[in-house]
Amino acid sequence: MAPRTRTRPSRLHQEPEAVTWARQKAGLTKRALADQVGISEQLMGEIESGWRSATPANLIKIAAALNCPLVVLERKHPAGSAPASTD
């Protein structure tokens, strides 16, 4: 059996660097933020590194825990391209 290779998600809801910056600015560790959001420390690390996409609900919780506007953490889309519709 061939080893499974890990690939990054093609679309992230968050800007990983912004999440890390806001967490550090708030003076929280990954563990402390994960506890406040209700997710594992491992998942928090994967969200910050871009290996996993935060669900919209978790991104809202992260923003609230960091006392940060959601728009600061959201993935930026290039000009002229709209995010895919979820209808």
Side-chain angles (χ1 to χ4, degrees), residues 9-58:
S10 60
R11 183 169 167 240
L12 295 173
H13 291 106
Q14 78 281 0
E15 195 66 56
E17 297 82 11
V19 176
T20 302
W21 177 84
R23 176 183 58 76
Q24 291 171 342
K25 186 93 168 143
L28 294 174
T29 63
K30 287 179 194 172
R31 177 175 288 169
L33 179 55
D35 287 345
Q36 287 187 28
V37 174
I39 61 175
S40 71
E41 183 179 1
Q42 179 179 351
L43 178 55
M44 189 71 246
E46 290 174 347
I47 288 170
E48 285 191 9
S49 68
W51 280 104
R52 295 271 300 267
S53 185
T55 64
N58 279 342

Side-chain angles (χ1 to χ4, degrees), residues 19 22 33 36-37 56-74:
V19 176
L33 179 55
Q36 287 187 28
V37 174
N58 279 342
L59 197 54
I60 290 168
K61 292 177 188 176
I62 291 169
L66 296 174
N67 194 27
C68 171
L70 179 62
V71 69
V72 171
L73 305 180
E74 290 179 319

